[in-house]
Amino acid sequence: VAGHARGAQLGIINIAHKHDGAPIGILNIVAKDGRHNVDVWTSDTSVFSVGTKLGSRHFYSILGVGLQPMDGKTAWLPTVGLGGRIPITRMISIKPEATLATVNVGNEWDEASLLAKGRLTAELKLQDQFAIFAGPTFNLLTGTDEDKRLNDVSYIPSISSAKSGDRHNDFGIGFALGVQAF
């Protein structure tokens, strides 16, 4: 907890009235000039996702959940991550983000099947409280369950697959497209 934080603030939960730097944690709350976004998006690995971005204007945490049809059932992907915003113009920003999700089907909780994503999206601010974003994703699905491969979760075929011990690793390129409300 800080009044006016400068530099990095590292913790599971970071709270500051004002922040000039990077709050790094799962939950980052910055009262003045902070980021409090709600995003709705689609991607190659989730037909519908909703989440929030919390933190400073240029560095934030990501919490969300995605849904994806998979083998006649619904996969749900709880997601955590970190991201940044690099302003290009007043209306355009580039956002590099890294997320990690578990891939669960039906009622299961499967901590062994992990989907790591790197996203590089361009954001276009249409109004003060509304923006659209789109860009490529770089996906790595790793797990021990042969029934959960990247080709089963993604609409776009994987580029490569490798096995390391009892774990399989699938790599692919995808997309993200969505809207953001501030």
PDB file of all heavy atoms in Angstrom, residues 143-180:
ATOM      1  N   GLY A 143       1.188 -29.554 -21.559  1.00  0.00           N
ATOM      2  CA  GLY A 143       0.384 -30.362 -20.642  1.00  0.00           C
ATOM      3  C   GLY A 143       0.693 -31.832 -20.742  1.00  0.00           C
ATOM      4  O   GLY A 143       1.492 -32.269 -21.583  1.00  0.00           O
ATOM      5  N   THR A 144       0.048 -32.595 -19.866  1.00  0.00           N
ATOM      6  CA  THR A 144       0.235 -34.052 -19.847  1.00  0.00           C
ATOM      7  C   THR A 144      -0.952 -34.775 -20.460  1.00  0.00           C
ATOM      8  O   THR A 144      -0.872 -35.956 -20.723  1.00  0.00           O
ATOM      9  CB  THR A 144       0.433 -34.540 -18.398  1.00  0.00           C
ATOM     10  OG1 THR A 144      -0.692 -34.125 -17.616  1.00  0.00           O
ATOM     11  CG2 THR A 144       1.706 -33.976 -17.801  1.00  0.00           C
ATOM     12  N   ASP A 145      -2.049 -34.083 -20.693  1.00  0.00           N
ATOM     13  CA  ASP A 145      -3.262 -34.678 -21.231  1.00  0.00           C
ATOM     14  C   ASP A 145      -3.207 -34.658 -22.759  1.00  0.00           C
ATOM     15  O   ASP A 145      -3.234 -33.596 -23.372  1.00  0.00           O
ATOM     16  CB  ASP A 145      -4.474 -33.895 -20.721  1.00  0.00           C
ATOM     17  CG  ASP A 145      -5.793 -34.561 -21.065  1.00  0.00           C
ATOM     18  OD1 ASP A 145      -5.803 -35.497 -21.894  1.00  0.00           O
ATOM     19  OD2 ASP A 145      -6.814 -34.139 -20.515  1.00  0.00           O
ATOM     20  N   GLU A 146      -3.157 -35.835 -23.359  1.00  0.00           N
ATOM     21  CA  GLU A 146      -3.105 -35.920 -24.826  1.00  0.00           C
ATOM     22  C   GLU A 146      -4.388 -35.411 -25.479  1.00  0.00           C
ATOM     23  O   GLU A 146      -4.405 -35.099 -26.655  1.00  0.00           O
ATOM     24  CB  GLU A 146      -2.828 -37.359 -25.275  1.00  0.00           C
ATOM     25  CG  GLU A 146      -1.392 -37.774 -25.100  1.00  0.00           C
ATOM     26  CD  GLU A 146      -0.427 -36.987 -25.988  1.00  0.00           C
ATOM     27  OE1 GLU A 146      -0.761 -36.652 -27.137  1.00  0.00           O
ATOM     28  OE2 GLU A 146       0.678 -36.695 -25.511  1.00  0.00           O
ATOM     29  N   ASP A 147      -5.489 -35.330 -24.703  1.00  0.00           N
ATOM     30  CA  ASP A 147      -6.754 -34.837 -25.254  1.00  0.00           C
ATOM     31  C   ASP A 147      -6.798 -33.321 -25.360  1.00  0.00           C
ATOM     32  O   ASP A 147      -7.734 -32.767 -25.920  1.00  0.00           O
ATOM     33  CB  ASP A 147      -7.926 -35.302 -24.374  1.00  0.00           C
ATOM     34  CG  ASP A 147      -8.121 -36.802 -24.442  1.00  0.00           C
ATOM     35  OD1 ASP A 147      -7.699 -37.406 -25.445  1.00  0.00           O
ATOM     36  OD2 ASP A 147      -8.691 -37.355 -23.494  1.00  0.00           O
ATOM     37  N   LYS A 148      -5.818 -32.647 -24.804  1.00  0.00           N
ATOM     38  CA  LYS A 148      -5.772 -31.189 -24.862  1.00  0.00           C
ATOM     39  C   LYS A 148      -4.517 -30.760 -25.592  1.00  0.00           C
ATOM     40  O   LYS A 148      -3.477 -30.547 -25.009  1.00  0.00           O
ATOM     41  CB  LYS A 148      -5.797 -30.586 -23.461  1.00  0.00           C
ATOM     42  CG  LYS A 148      -7.096 -30.809 -22.761  1.00  0.00           C
ATOM     43  CD  LYS A 148      -7.077 -30.174 -21.417  1.00  0.00           C
ATOM     44  CE  LYS A 148      -8.326 -30.533 -20.661  1.00  0.00           C
ATOM     45  NZ  LYS A 148      -8.170 -30.253 -19.254  1.00  0.00           N
ATOM     46  N   ARG A 149      -4.653 -30.650 -26.878  1.00  0.00           N
ATOM     47  CA  ARG A 149      -3.571 -30.175 -27.716  1.00  0.00           C
ATOM     48  C   ARG A 149      -3.980 -28.830 -28.280  1.00  0.00           C
ATOM     49  O   ARG A 149      -5.159 -28.489 -28.319  1.00  0.00           O
ATOM     50  CB  ARG A 149      -3.298 -31.179 -28.855  1.00  0.00           C
ATOM     51  CG  ARG A 149      -3.004 -32.603 -28.387  1.00  0.00           C
ATOM     52  CD  ARG A 149      -1.758 -32.693 -27.526  1.00  0.00           C
ATOM     53  NE  ARG A 149      -0.576 -32.261 -28.200  1.00  0.00           N
ATOM     54  CZ  ARG A 149       0.299 -33.065 -28.804  1.00  0.00           C
ATOM     55  NH1 ARG A 149       0.125 -34.356 -28.804  1.00  0.00           N
ATOM     56  NH2 ARG A 149       1.361 -32.562 -29.402  1.00  0.00           N
ATOM     57  N   LEU A 150      -3.019 -28.043 -28.720  1.00  0.00           N
ATOM     58  CA  LEU A 150      -3.331 -26.715 -29.254  1.00  0.00           C
ATOM     59  C   LEU A 150      -4.290 -26.816 -30.438  1.00  0.00           C
ATOM     60  O   LEU A 150      -5.177 -25.986 -30.589  1.00  0.00           O
ATOM     61  CB  LEU A 150      -2.046 -25.974 -29.644  1.00  0.00           C
ATOM     62  CG  LEU A 150      -2.222 -24.515 -30.057  1.00  0.00           C
ATOM     63  CD1 LEU A 150      -2.898 -23.696 -28.957  1.00  0.00           C
ATOM     64  CD2 LEU A 150      -0.884 -23.898 -30.407  1.00  0.00           C
ATOM     65  N   ASN A 151      -4.152 -27.833 -31.264  1.00  0.00           N
ATOM     66  CA  ASN A 151      -5.058 -28.008 -32.402  1.00  0.00           C
ATOM     67  C   ASN A 151      -6.500 -28.252 -31.957  1.00  0.00           C
ATOM     68  O   ASN A 151      -7.429 -27.986 -32.707  1.00  0.00           O
ATOM     69  CB  ASN A 151      -4.597 -29.153 -33.296  1.00  0.00           C
ATOM     70  CG  ASN A 151      -3.386 -28.777 -34.118  1.00  0.00           C
ATOM     71  OD1 ASN A 151      -3.119 -27.602 -34.343  1.00  0.00           O
ATOM     72  ND2 ASN A 151      -2.635 -29.763 -34.545  1.00  0.00           N
ATOM     73  N   ASP A 152      -6.710 -28.768 -30.737  1.00  0.00           N
ATOM     74  CA  ASP A 152      -8.057 -28.993 -30.225  1.00  0.00           C
ATOM     75  C   ASP A 152      -8.672 -27.713 -29.667  1.00  0.00           C
ATOM     76  O   ASP A 152      -9.877 -27.572 -29.623  1.00  0.00           O
ATOM     77  CB  ASP A 152      -8.037 -30.052 -29.112  1.00  0.00           C
ATOM     78  CG  ASP A 152      -7.517 -31.387 -29.603  1.00  0.00           C
ATOM     79  OD1 ASP A 152      -7.822 -31.759 -30.758  1.00  0.00           O
ATOM     80  OD2 ASP A 152      -6.792 -32.049 -28.846  1.00  0.00           O
ATOM     81  N   VAL A 153      -7.831 -26.792 -29.207  1.00  0.00           N
ATOM     82  CA  VAL A 153      -8.300 -25.563 -28.573  1.00  0.00           C
ATOM     83  C   VAL A 153      -8.355 -24.407 -29.564  1.00  0.00           C
ATOM     84  O   VAL A 153      -9.235 -23.561 -29.487  1.00  0.00           O
ATOM     85  CB  VAL A 153      -7.382 -25.190 -27.372  1.00  0.00           C
ATOM     86  CG1 VAL A 153      -7.817 -23.886 -26.732  1.00  0.00           C
ATOM     87  CG2 VAL A 153      -7.368 -26.307 -26.355  1.00  0.00           C
ATOM     88  N   SER A 154      -7.424 -24.348 -30.516  1.00  0.00           N
ATOM     89  CA  SER A 154      -7.295 -23.211 -31.427  1.00  0.00           C
ATOM     90  C   SER A 154      -7.964 -23.480 -32.773  1.00  0.00           C
ATOM     91  O   SER A 154      -7.998 -24.611 -33.248  1.00  0.00           O
ATOM     92  CB  SER A 154      -5.815 -22.897 -31.657  1.00  0.00           C
ATOM     93  OG  SER A 154      -5.674 -21.832 -32.578  1.00  0.00           O
ATOM     94  N   TYR A 155      -8.469 -22.409 -33.372  1.00  0.00           N
ATOM     95  CA  TYR A 155      -9.010 -22.489 -34.730  1.00  0.00           C
ATOM     96  C   TYR A 155      -7.903 -22.545 -35.773  1.00  0.00           C
ATOM     97  O   TYR A 155      -8.145 -22.894 -36.917  1.00  0.00           O
ATOM     98  CB  TYR A 155      -9.889 -21.263 -35.024  1.00  0.00           C
ATOM     99  CG  TYR A 155     -11.097 -21.159 -34.140  1.00  0.00           C
ATOM    100  CD1 TYR A 155     -11.298 -20.037 -33.357  1.00  0.00           C
ATOM    101  CD2 TYR A 155     -12.037 -22.176 -34.088  1.00  0.00           C
ATOM    102  CE1 TYR A 155     -12.416 -19.927 -32.547  1.00  0.00           C
ATOM    103  CE2 TYR A 155     -13.152 -22.082 -33.282  1.00  0.00           C
ATOM    104  CZ  TYR A 155     -13.336 -20.956 -32.514  1.00  0.00           C
ATOM    105  OH  TYR A 155     -14.430 -20.851 -31.716  1.00  0.00           O
ATOM    106  N   ILE A 156      -6.688 -22.178 -35.383  1.00  0.00           N
ATOM    107  CA  ILE A 156      -5.560 -22.133 -36.308  1.00  0.00           C
ATOM    108  C   ILE A 156      -4.611 -23.286 -35.965  1.00  0.00           C
ATOM    109  O   ILE A 156      -4.228 -23.441 -34.804  1.00  0.00           O
ATOM    110  CB  ILE A 156      -4.835 -20.769 -36.219  1.00  0.00           C
ATOM    111  CG1 ILE A 156      -5.817 -19.646 -36.565  1.00  0.00           C
ATOM    112  CG2 ILE A 156      -3.611 -20.747 -37.122  1.00  0.00           C
ATOM    113  CD1 ILE A 156      -5.281 -18.253 -36.326  1.00  0.00           C
ATOM    114  N   PRO A 157      -4.220 -24.112 -36.943  1.00  0.00           N
ATOM    115  CA  PRO A 157      -3.347 -25.251 -36.650  1.00  0.00           C
ATOM    116  C   PRO A 157      -2.016 -24.832 -36.030  1.00  0.00           C
ATOM    117  O   PRO A 157      -1.479 -23.769 -36.333  1.00  0.00           O
ATOM    118  CB  PRO A 157      -3.112 -25.893 -38.022  1.00  0.00           C
ATOM    119  CG  PRO A 157      -4.214 -25.386 -38.886  1.00  0.00           C
ATOM    120  CD  PRO A 157      -4.579 -24.040 -38.350  1.00  0.00           C
ATOM    121  N   SER A 158      -1.495 -25.693 -35.155  1.00  0.00           N
ATOM    122  CA  SER A 158      -0.213 -25.398 -34.513  1.00  0.00           C
ATOM    123  C   SER A 158       0.914 -25.468 -35.539  1.00  0.00           C
ATOM    124  O   SER A 158       0.811 -26.135 -36.566  1.00  0.00           O
ATOM    125  CB  SER A 158       0.049 -26.350 -33.350  1.00  0.00           C
ATOM    126  OG  SER A 158       0.110 -27.680 -33.796  1.00  0.00           O
ATOM    127  N   ILE A 159       1.997 -24.765 -35.234  1.00  0.00           N
ATOM    128  CA  ILE A 159       3.159 -24.733 -36.119  1.00  0.00           C
ATOM    129  C   ILE A 159       4.107 -25.877 -35.824  1.00  0.00           C
ATOM    130  O   ILE A 159       4.663 -26.492 -36.720  1.00  0.00           O
ATOM    131  CB  ILE A 159       3.891 -23.378 -35.987  1.00  0.00           C
ATOM    132  CG1 ILE A 159       3.003 -22.262 -36.495  1.00  0.00           C
ATOM    133  CG2 ILE A 159       5.223 -23.395 -36.708  1.00  0.00           C
ATOM    134  CD1 ILE A 159       3.557 -20.880 -36.269  1.00  0.00           C
ATOM    135  N   SER A 160       4.301 -26.167 -34.525  1.00  0.00           N
ATOM    136  CA  SER A 160       5.200 -27.258 -34.159  1.00  0.00           C
ATOM    137  C   SER A 160       4.750 -27.892 -32.857  1.00  0.00           C
ATOM    138  O   SER A 160       4.058 -27.279 -32.047  1.00  0.00           O
ATOM    139  CB  SER A 160       6.640 -26.759 -34.036  1.00  0.00           C
ATOM    140  OG  SER A 160       6.762 -25.898 -32.923  1.00  0.00           O
ATOM    141  N   SER A 161       5.152 -29.154 -32.681  1.00  0.00           N
ATOM    142  CA  SER A 161       4.860 -29.911 -31.469  1.00  0.00           C
ATOM    143  C   SER A 161       6.122 -30.638 -31.052  1.00  0.00           C
ATOM    144  O   SER A 161       6.910 -31.076 -31.886  1.00  0.00           O
ATOM    145  CB  SER A 161       3.754 -30.940 -31.713  1.00  0.00           C
ATOM    146  OG  SER A 161       2.541 -30.299 -32.015  1.00  0.00           O
ATOM    147  N   ALA A 162       6.301 -30.752 -29.747  1.00  0.00           N
ATOM    148  CA  ALA A 162       7.454 -31.483 -29.216  1.00  0.00           C
ATOM    149  C   ALA A 162       7.032 -32.157 -27.920  1.00  0.00           C
ATOM    150  O   ALA A 162       6.130 -31.693 -27.228  1.00  0.00           O
ATOM    151  CB  ALA A 162       8.618 -30.534 -28.963  1.00  0.00           C
ATOM    152  N   LYS A 163       7.708 -33.226 -27.595  1.00  0.00           N
ATOM    153  CA  LYS A 163       7.433 -33.937 -26.358  1.00  0.00           C
ATOM    154  C   LYS A 163       8.683 -33.888 -25.496  1.00  0.00           C
ATOM    155  O   LYS A 163       9.786 -34.083 -25.976  1.00  0.00           O
ATOM    156  CB  LYS A 163       7.032 -35.379 -26.658  1.00  0.00           C
ATOM    157  CG  LYS A 163       6.464 -36.096 -25.474  1.00  0.00           C
ATOM    158  CD  LYS A 163       5.452 -37.123 -25.934  1.00  0.00           C
ATOM    159  CE  LYS A 163       4.993 -37.958 -24.776  1.00  0.00           C
ATOM    160  NZ  LYS A 163       3.755 -37.577 -24.225  1.00  0.00           N
ATOM    161  N   SER A 164       8.492 -33.608 -24.211  1.00  0.00           N
ATOM    162  CA  SER A 164       9.594 -33.547 -23.264  1.00  0.00           C
ATOM    163  C   SER A 164       9.180 -34.351 -22.035  1.00  0.00           C
ATOM    164  O   SER A 164       8.376 -33.872 -21.229  1.00  0.00           O
ATOM    165  CB  SER A 164       9.895 -32.098 -22.899  1.00  0.00           C
ATOM    166  OG  SER A 164      10.876 -32.042 -21.899  1.00  0.00           O
ATOM    167  N   GLY A 165       9.684 -35.556 -21.908  1.00  0.00           N
ATOM    168  CA  GLY A 165       9.256 -36.438 -20.826  1.00  0.00           C
ATOM    169  C   GLY A 165       7.800 -36.801 -21.017  1.00  0.00           C
ATOM    170  O   GLY A 165       7.399 -37.269 -22.077  1.00  0.00           O
ATOM    171  N   ASP A 166       6.977 -36.543 -19.999  1.00  0.00           N
ATOM    172  CA  ASP A 166       5.546 -36.842 -20.108  1.00  0.00           C
ATOM    173  C   ASP A 166       4.724 -35.633 -20.550  1.00  0.00           C
ATOM    174  O   ASP A 166       3.511 -35.693 -20.606  1.00  0.00           O
ATOM    175  CB  ASP A 166       5.015 -37.380 -18.781  1.00  0.00           C
ATOM    176  CG  ASP A 166       5.025 -36.338 -17.664  1.00  0.00           C
ATOM    177  OD1 ASP A 166       5.784 -35.353 -17.789  1.00  0.00           O
ATOM    178  OD2 ASP A 166       4.285 -36.515 -16.687  1.00  0.00           O
ATOM    179  N   ARG A 167       5.380 -34.531 -20.897  1.00  0.00           N
ATOM    180  CA  ARG A 167       4.671 -33.315 -21.308  1.00  0.00           C
ATOM    181  C   ARG A 167       4.754 -33.114 -22.822  1.00  0.00           C
ATOM    182  O   ARG A 167       5.793 -33.343 -23.425  1.00  0.00           O
ATOM    183  CB  ARG A 167       5.257 -32.091 -20.601  1.00  0.00           C
ATOM    184  CG  ARG A 167       5.052 -32.140 -19.090  1.00  0.00           C
ATOM    185  CD  ARG A 167       5.337 -30.832 -18.430  1.00  0.00           C
ATOM    186  NE  ARG A 167       4.344 -29.817 -18.706  1.00  0.00           N
ATOM    187  CZ  ARG A 167       3.167 -29.710 -18.086  1.00  0.00           C
ATOM    188  NH1 ARG A 167       2.821 -30.587 -17.189  1.00  0.00           N
ATOM    189  NH2 ARG A 167       2.345 -28.729 -18.381  1.00  0.00           N
ATOM    190  N   HIS A 168       3.665 -32.669 -23.397  1.00  0.00           N
ATOM    191  CA  HIS A 168       3.665 -32.260 -24.801  1.00  0.00           C
ATOM    192  C   HIS A 168       3.641 -30.739 -24.850  1.00  0.00           C
ATOM    193  O   HIS A 168       3.106 -30.083 -23.963  1.00  0.00           O
ATOM    194  CB  HIS A 168       2.482 -32.854 -25.564  1.00  0.00           C
ATOM    195  CG  HIS A 168       1.141 -32.396 -25.055  1.00  0.00           C
ATOM    196  ND1 HIS A 168       0.593 -31.178 -25.388  1.00  0.00           N
ATOM    197  CD2 HIS A 168       0.263 -32.978 -24.228  1.00  0.00           C
ATOM    198  CE1 HIS A 168      -0.567 -31.038 -24.797  1.00  0.00           C
ATOM    199  NE2 HIS A 168      -0.799 -32.114 -24.068  1.00  0.00           N
ATOM    200  N   ASN A 169       4.267 -30.187 -25.865  1.00  0.00           N
ATOM    201  CA  ASN A 169       4.356 -28.738 -26.052  1.00  0.00           C
ATOM    202  C   ASN A 169       3.987 -28.419 -27.486  1.00  0.00           C
ATOM    203  O   ASN A 169       4.643 -28.898 -28.414  1.00  0.00           O
ATOM    204  CB  ASN A 169       5.776 -28.241 -25.757  1.00  0.00           C
ATOM    205  CG  ASN A 169       6.214 -28.586 -24.356  1.00  0.00           C
ATOM    206  OD1 ASN A 169       5.675 -28.072 -23.395  1.00  0.00           O
ATOM    207  ND2 ASN A 169       7.184 -29.482 -24.235  1.00  0.00           N
ATOM    208  N   ASP A 170       2.943 -27.633 -27.658  1.00  0.00           N
ATOM    209  CA  ASP A 170       2.484 -27.219 -28.985  1.00  0.00           C
ATOM    210  C   ASP A 170       2.636 -25.709 -29.101  1.00  0.00           C
ATOM    211  O   ASP A 170       2.217 -24.968 -28.214  1.00  0.00           O
ATOM    212  CB  ASP A 170       1.016 -27.578 -29.196  1.00  0.00           C
ATOM    213  CG  ASP A 170       0.751 -29.072 -29.145  1.00  0.00           C
ATOM    214  OD1 ASP A 170       1.667 -29.850 -29.475  1.00  0.00           O
ATOM    215  OD2 ASP A 170      -0.373 -29.458 -28.774  1.00  0.00           O
ATOM    216  N   PHE A 171       3.201 -25.249 -30.219  1.00  0.00           N
ATOM    217  CA  PHE A 171       3.391 -23.829 -30.471  1.00  0.00           C
ATOM    218  C   PHE A 171       2.581 -23.424 -31.689  1.00  0.00           C
ATOM    219  O   PHE A 171       2.528 -24.151 -32.685  1.00  0.00           O
ATOM    220  CB  PHE A 171       4.873 -23.513 -30.713  1.00  0.00           C
ATOM    221  CG  PHE A 171       5.117 -22.079 -31.067  1.00  0.00           C
ATOM    222  CD1 PHE A 171       5.050 -21.086 -30.111  1.00  0.00           C
ATOM    223  CD2 PHE A 171       5.385 -21.716 -32.379  1.00  0.00           C
ATOM    224  CE1 PHE A 171       5.248 -19.751 -30.445  1.00  0.00           C
ATOM    225  CE2 PHE A 171       5.598 -20.393 -32.724  1.00  0.00           C
ATOM    226  CZ  PHE A 171       5.525 -19.406 -31.745  1.00  0.00           C
ATOM    227  N   GLY A 172       1.946 -22.252 -31.611  1.00  0.00           N
ATOM    228  CA  GLY A 172       1.181 -21.750 -32.748  1.00  0.00           C
ATOM    229  C   GLY A 172       1.051 -20.240 -32.705  1.00  0.00           C
ATOM    230  O   GLY A 172       1.371 -19.591 -31.711  1.00  0.00           O
ATOM    231  N   ILE A 173       0.597 -19.705 -33.802  1.00  0.00           N
ATOM    232  CA  ILE A 173       0.347 -18.268 -33.922  1.00  0.00           C
ATOM    233  C   ILE A 173      -1.146 -18.075 -34.092  1.00  0.00           C
ATOM    234  O   ILE A 173      -1.804 -18.837 -34.804  1.00  0.00           O
ATOM    235  CB  ILE A 173       1.120 -17.672 -35.118  1.00  0.00           C
ATOM    236  CG1 ILE A 173       2.620 -17.812 -34.868  1.00  0.00           C
ATOM    237  CG2 ILE A 173       0.737 -16.219 -35.337  1.00  0.00           C
ATOM    238  CD1 ILE A 173       3.487 -17.389 -36.018  1.00  0.00           C
ATOM    239  N   GLY A 174      -1.693 -17.059 -33.423  1.00  0.00           N
ATOM    240  CA  GLY A 174      -3.125 -16.806 -33.494  1.00  0.00           C
ATOM    241  C   GLY A 174      -3.426 -15.327 -33.582  1.00  0.00           C
ATOM    242  O   GLY A 174      -2.622 -14.536 -34.081  1.00  0.00           O
ATOM    243  N   PHE A 175      -4.596 -14.934 -33.049  1.00  0.00           N
ATOM    244  CA  PHE A 175      -5.036 -13.549 -33.128  1.00  0.00           C
ATOM    245  C   PHE A 175      -5.869 -13.208 -31.895  1.00  0.00           C
ATOM    246  O   PHE A 175      -6.381 -14.082 -31.205  1.00  0.00           O
ATOM    247  CB  PHE A 175      -5.881 -13.314 -34.378  1.00  0.00           C
ATOM    248  CG  PHE A 175      -7.210 -14.022 -34.322  1.00  0.00           C
ATOM    249  CD1 PHE A 175      -8.336 -13.367 -33.805  1.00  0.00           C
ATOM    250  CD2 PHE A 175      -7.343 -15.339 -34.736  1.00  0.00           C
ATOM    251  CE1 PHE A 175      -9.559 -14.022 -33.728  1.00  0.00           C
ATOM    252  CE2 PHE A 175      -8.554 -15.994 -34.665  1.00  0.00           C
ATOM    253  CZ  PHE A 175      -9.674 -15.340 -34.160  1.00  0.00           C
ATOM    254  N   ALA A 176      -6.014 -11.925 -31.652  1.00  0.00           N
ATOM    255  CA  ALA A 176      -6.943 -11.398 -30.639  1.00  0.00           C
ATOM    256  C   ALA A 176      -7.601 -10.164 -31.232  1.00  0.00           C
ATOM    257  O   ALA A 176      -6.956  -9.376 -31.919  1.00  0.00           O
ATOM    258  CB  ALA A 176      -6.213 -11.042 -29.356  1.00  0.00           C
ATOM    259  N   LEU A 177      -8.889  -9.996 -30.968  1.00  0.00           N
ATOM    260  CA  LEU A 177      -9.670  -8.873 -31.474  1.00  0.00           C
ATOM    261  C   LEU A 177     -10.728  -8.546 -30.433  1.00  0.00           C
ATOM    262  O   LEU A 177     -11.445  -9.435 -29.993  1.00  0.00           O
ATOM    263  CB  LEU A 177     -10.357  -9.260 -32.797  1.00  0.00           C
ATOM    264  CG  LEU A 177     -11.378  -8.311 -33.380  1.00  0.00           C
ATOM    265  CD1 LEU A 177     -10.710  -7.030 -33.844  1.00  0.00           C
ATOM    266  CD2 LEU A 177     -12.108  -8.974 -34.535  1.00  0.00           C
ATOM    267  N   GLY A 178     -10.786  -7.270 -30.006  1.00  0.00           N
ATOM    268  CA  GLY A 178     -11.746  -6.958 -28.970  1.00  0.00           C
ATOM    269  C   GLY A 178     -12.035  -5.489 -28.792  1.00  0.00           C
ATOM    270  O   GLY A 178     -11.542  -4.640 -29.540  1.00  0.00           O
ATOM    271  N   VAL A 179     -12.831  -5.219 -27.754  1.00  0.00           N
ATOM    272  CA  VAL A 179     -13.191  -3.862 -27.363  1.00  0.00           C
ATOM    273  C   VAL A 179     -12.822  -3.662 -25.906  1.00  0.00           C
ATOM    274  O   VAL A 179     -12.775  -4.607 -25.128  1.00  0.00           O
ATOM    275  CB  VAL A 179     -14.695  -3.568 -27.577  1.00  0.00           C
ATOM    276  CG1 VAL A 179     -15.052  -3.641 -29.036  1.00  0.00           C
ATOM    277  CG2 VAL A 179     -15.566  -4.489 -26.748  1.00  0.00           C
ATOM    278  N   GLN A 180     -12.555  -2.409 -25.561  1.00  0.00           N
ATOM    279  CA  GLN A 180     -12.136  -2.059 -24.205  1.00  0.00           C
ATOM    280  C   GLN A 180     -12.925  -0.848 -23.740  1.00  0.00           C
ATOM    281  O   GLN A 180     -13.031   0.136 -24.467  1.00  0.00           O
ATOM    282  CB  GLN A 180     -10.646  -1.756 -24.213  1.00  0.00           C
ATOM    283  CG  GLN A 180     -10.075  -1.438 -22.856  1.00  0.00           C
ATOM    284  CD  GLN A 180      -8.573  -1.297 -22.965  1.00  0.00           C
ATOM    285  OE1 GLN A 180      -8.094  -0.285 -23.450  1.00  0.00           O
ATOM    286  NE2 GLN A 180      -7.855  -2.304 -22.513  1.00  0.00           N
TER     287      GLN A 180
END
